Amino acid sequence: MLETKKCPGCYLGDADLSDAELAGADLSGAMLVKAHLDDANLQQANLSSAEQNWEDVNYGAGMNGYA
């Protein structure tokens, strides 16, 4: 997938794609729930109908306990 940049409808949940070069990739309909995409280049990637759900585990950090 990283070479062809084509993975329509594939399961990438929990995949570590940190720093991946995915510019222009076809990820339409892909399952990306909990995928690690830190610093991945998704510029002009096709994410239509892709299942996306990320949590910011750092949300609230440094906010004096208010989240």
Side-chain angles (χ1 to χ4, degrees):
M1 189 279 296
L2 292 174
E3 291 179 22
T4 64
K5 294 187 181 180
K6 294 181 181 178
C7 197
C10 65
Y11 178 80
L12 295 171
D14 295 315
D16 186 0
L17 299 171
S18 300
D19 298 311
E21 182 56 53
L22 297 171
D26 181 5
L27 300 174
S28 57
M31 174 67 74
L32 297 169
V33 175
K34 296 184 182 178
H36 302 272
L37 294 164
D38 297 324
D39 297 318
N41 182 357
L42 293 167
Q43 187 175 8
Q44 296 183 355
N46 181 356
L47 297 170
S48 63
S49 300
E51 180 71 31
Q52 306 167 50
N53 185 12
W54 293 280
E55 279 186 30
D56 184 353
V57 295
N58 294 315
Y59 180 76
M63 295 181 65
N64 298 322
Y66 299 104

